[in-house]
Amino acid sequence: MKKLLLASIGFWTLLWASPVPGQETAAYKLIVHPASSVSALSRLQAKKMFLKKETKWPNGQKVLPVDLKASSSTRRVFSKKVIGKSVSSIKSFWQQQIFSGRGVPPPEKRTEKLVLAYVLANPGAIGYVSASANTGRAKVLAVGN
Amino acid sequence: MSKNVVVLISCLILLFPVLSQAVEIDEIIHLNGYFSFEYEQQIGDTGKGDKAGSFDLDLFDLVINVMPVEELRLATDLSWEHGTATENNWGNVAVEYAFAEYTVFDWLRVRAGKMFVPFGIYNEIHTAKPVFISVKEPLSTNKNNKFGSGLRFYPRWAVGLEIGGAFDVGGTGFDYSLQVSNGEQETTNPFEEDDNKQKAFSARVRAQPAEDLEIGLSAYADSISEWDVTSVGDEYRSGTTRLLSYGGHLIWNVMGLGVEGEFVMGTVKPSTGDEIMRYGATVMLSYLFLDRYTPYFRFEYLDPDTNTENDQAMMFVYGINVRLVDRLFIKLELDTVAAESLNSRFGGGNESYTEFKGAIVFGF
């Protein structure tokens, strides 16, 4: 009886926790303030900026990265393609930074519109939106290898 | 009193529109924290584990970061351990850290306050269970006083000043921390008053030669008044013990495979008597699959005094960490302790035993 109960708990834990296949076909656009003189970044540069390991633009301005909320499919694609890690791994990285007293993550915005607004309001900002999003006056950067 | 409150509220009301126009409040104040609930039970009747089996409201921590401007950060971690109830003297409430940090450049930031001592892998992760795989942090290198050593390799906290920063050299990322503090005391509050003129120094440098590889070196030196003094009545006489610890660590993650290793050694030199040489090591292997399941194995070893026979301790940890949903984890493991008869923590008979440990942890 005890064994059966344990097996049942184990089974349902695994079932509950099993991953749901994600739709990861969407692409993204990397955007910065319209006044930025930068027009392209390497994947490594973008990664370092979003992990706050590269904190200055070439003109000396502070880099202000902004993320989409963790459940966003655009964030999922961006995290995999640019940072090379899953969103949960990146969350784990930031929690480690926070709890060890080393720093805080970039702000998270609930919608792409809010990301765009943040980028347009802050000259040093860098964000990403889905490939189909209207980026308005924001400058779209090319991402190289 | 009421006048002050009115003035304060008026100031906040006047200030609020200005703040809300410039930046959102969640960009100034960051509130995070974690929670850990555990269960432990020794398997079998002989050993020094938890024979009854106990639930433990291990931790509830609030971590607050305030950044009024980008360069200035005030950070604190407030911890409530074991379901704190001060009326009964149960549990513990602690300021894990509270410091102000000013960033001059990326390669130069200055901190002042109470901080974790920068040493190795685990001391800065400390008790933040959502960010490490196993139920407990390694004893042999991080809490060796609970594994058979009389004195820790380094204290867990310190009050003082620290400089640190990060920089790149030829594509390799480096970061460093240099800390000067009161060090460890026994008769005074080390976070308020130093009982000797000599300060404690700690240093750590880490390099990232590849994206998923980190190598680090750490050192700690201190002079402790109380360690070896002879008490006459209630009086303490002068006399110091020199504590020196140094070590290296490595973290490597590739394709889900994680390798973590740390080695710490050092000396304890009392003003009279023999110098003690000791060392501890830990190696952990883990494998993350489906971005959710992480089985792991860890080996720990401590020799508390190389001149003493039969005082070593080892631990074998086998476990699995499952991320149930975002930042909520369940951890299940078996810890087997194998110690020798003269080990001060486990010795004296029944030195070897196995304990089951389980934890539910959540970080936000």
Side-chain angles (χ1 to χ4, degrees):
Chain A
M1 180 62 191
K2 228 177 186 177
K3 275 183 183 168
L4 195 67
L5 186 68
L6 282 175
S8 170
I9 290 170
F11 173 75
W12 286 108
T13 303
L14 286 172
L15 195 67
W16 178 43
S18 14
V20 178
Q23 298 293 316
E24 298 205 349
T25 51
Y28 65 90
K29 281 183 205 164
L30 194 60
I31 54 171
V32 292
H33 192 270
S36 171
S37 59
V38 175
S39 54
L41 286 178
S42 70
R43 186 191 72 81
L44 189 61
Q45 279 177 306
K47 172 183 171 167
K48 284 183 171 182
M49 285 179 175
F50 277 86
L51 296 180
K52 292 193 176 177
K53 289 181 175 175
E54 191 163 321
T55 60
K56 295 270 166 64
W57 290 103
N59 65 1
Q61 198 157 39
K62 190 97 184 158
V63 176
L64 299 171
V66 56
D67 261 317
L68 273 166
K69 62 182 178 179
S71 59
S72 154
S73 58
T74 308
R75 178 163 178 184
R76 209 157 51 221
V77 174
F78 179 82
S79 300
K80 269 279 178 217
K81 286 191 173 172
V82 175
I83 303 184
K85 291 183 187 301
S86 66
V87 176
S88 64
S89 295
I90 295 165
K91 280 266 182 189
S92 182
F93 166 81
W94 280 116
Q95 287 216 322
Q96 193 162 325
Q97 297 292 106
I98 293 165
F99 299 150
S100 59
R102 281 154 66 185
V104 294
E108 275 185 10
K109 301 295 176 189
R110 281 178 288 111
T111 65
E112 296 192 341
K113 262 189 180 168
L114 290 172
V115 168
L116 187 61
Y118 183 88
V119 167
L120 292 175
N122 294 285
I126 179 167
Y128 53 88
V129 291
S130 61
S132 58
N134 179 3
T135 52
R137 291 186 301 113
K139 190 171 179 180
V140 178
L141 296 188
V143 183
N145 282 321
Chain B
M1 161 69 185
S2 59
K3 204 175 171 185
N4 289 340
V5 172
V6 170
V7 170
L8 182 67
I9 291 172
S10 307
C11 286
L12 286 173
I13 289 169
L14 287 171
L15 201 60
F16 183 72
V18 180
L19 284 175
S20 60
Q21 274 171 21
V23 278
E24 290 182 27
I25 198 76
D26 66 354
E27 287 163 29
I28 298 175
I29 300 171
H30 299 254
L31 179 64
N32 299 90
Y34 53 92
F35 162 90
S36 163
F37 169 77
E38 295 180 359
Y39 181 80
E40 292 182 4
Q41 182 159 16
Q42 181 182 296
I43 295 170
D45 295 327
T46 55
K48 295 182 172 63
D50 186 335
K51 294 183 185 70
S54 304
F55 295 108
D56 177 14
L57 174 52
D58 182 41
L59 285 165
F60 176 66
D61 276 50
L62 280 180
V63 179
I64 304 164
N65 278 273
V66 183
M67 300 174 74
V69 291
E70 192 66 29
E71 293 78 14
L72 178 63
R73 186 162 64 95
L74 305 167
T76 188
D77 178 339
L78 308 171
S79 181
W80 289 262
E81 288 183 84
H82 311 301
T84 311
T86 53
E87 196 175 33
N88 302 310
N89 244 350
W90 288 332
N92 178 39
V93 186
V95 175
E96 294 284 325
Y97 59 73
F99 59 80
E101 178 184 88
Y102 188 79
T103 302
V104 187
F105 307 105
D106 285 345
W107 54 268
L108 181 63
R109 54 167 175 71
V110 184
R111 276 185 188 181
K114 182 177 180 182
M115 297 164 276
F116 293 146
V117 171
F119 197 109
I121 301 172
Y122 277 89
N123 205 50
E124 278 187 327
I125 300 176
H126 227 77
T127 54
K129 313 279 168 107
V131 297
F132 62 86
I133 296 169
S134 54
V135 175
K136 301 281 188 192
E137 51 276 50
L139 295 178
S140 62
T141 48
N142 187 239
K143 287 180 173 174
N144 55 313
N145 57 326
K146 294 187 174 180
F147 210 52
S149 285
L151 192 63
R152 289 175 52 92
F153 284 119
Y154 47 87
R156 302 192 84 197
W157 309 266
V159 158
L161 297 168
E162 182 181 300
I163 60 166
F167 55 91
D168 261 42
V169 177
T172 297
F174 288 88
D175 75 78
Y176 73 97
S177 301
L178 299 169
Q179 192 181 78
V180 56
S181 68
N182 287 341
E184 208 149 40
Q185 336 278 333
E186 286 182 6
T187 56
T188 58
N189 173 359
F191 312 123
E192 183 189 9
E193 189 181 346
D194 202 342
D195 66 358
N196 61 66
K197 287 180 180 172
Q198 287 166 295
K199 299 297 167 211
F201 295 93
S202 46
R204 184 187 57 200
V205 61
R206 294 185 289 204
Q208 268 198 304
E211 274 197 43
D212 293 314
L213 176 65
E214 176 186 299
I215 299 165
L217 295 171
S218 311
Y220 180 83
D222 197 359
S223 186
I224 301 164
S225 307
E226 298 84 4
W227 175 242
D228 62 337
V229 294
T230 309
S231 61
V232 179
D234 290 334
E235 298 294 317
Y236 281 86
R237 293 207 305 250
S238 62
T240 57
T241 290
R242 306 282 300 174
L243 172 65
L244 175 66
S245 301
Y246 41 91
H249 74 261
L250 175 148
I251 301 171
W252 185 50
N253 290 291
V254 64
M255 311 280 284
L257 178 69
V259 180
E260 197 178 277
E262 186 166 2
F263 181 78
V264 185
M265 67 186 301
T267 53
V268 177
K269 189 169 176 17
S271 54
T272 56
D274 294 335
E275 179 178 275
I276 295 169
M277 166 71 89
R278 68 248 180 97
Y279 66 92
T282 175
V283 177
M284 186 161 88
L285 300 173
S286 62
Y287 182 67
L288 169 68
F289 63 99
L290 297 176
D291 197 28
R292 194 175 293 274
Y293 307 100
T294 311
Y296 56 93
F297 166 72
R298 186 168 71 211
F299 171 71
E300 296 184 38
Y301 180 84
L302 178 73
D303 187 344
D305 181 352
T306 54
N307 291 324
T308 303
E309 296 286 317
N310 303 324
D311 64 346
Q312 295 90 344
M314 289 188 286
M315 191 187 292
F316 302 86
V317 179
Y318 312 85
I320 185 162
N321 175 313
V322 180
R323 184 173 61 83
L324 294 175
V325 288
D326 194 29
R327 313 320 310 155
L328 174 66
F329 300 87
I330 186 164
K331 306 177 183 186
L332 305 168
E333 70 180 38
L334 288 175
D335 295 10
T336 297
V337 172
E340 298 198 41
S341 57
L342 295 182
N343 183 279
S344 63
R345 167 70 178 81
F346 302 104
N350 302 322
E351 293 88 5
S352 299
Y353 64 94
T354 298
E355 198 166 41
F356 165 79
K357 288 182 180 165
I360 296 171
V361 302
F362 176 64
F364 60 93

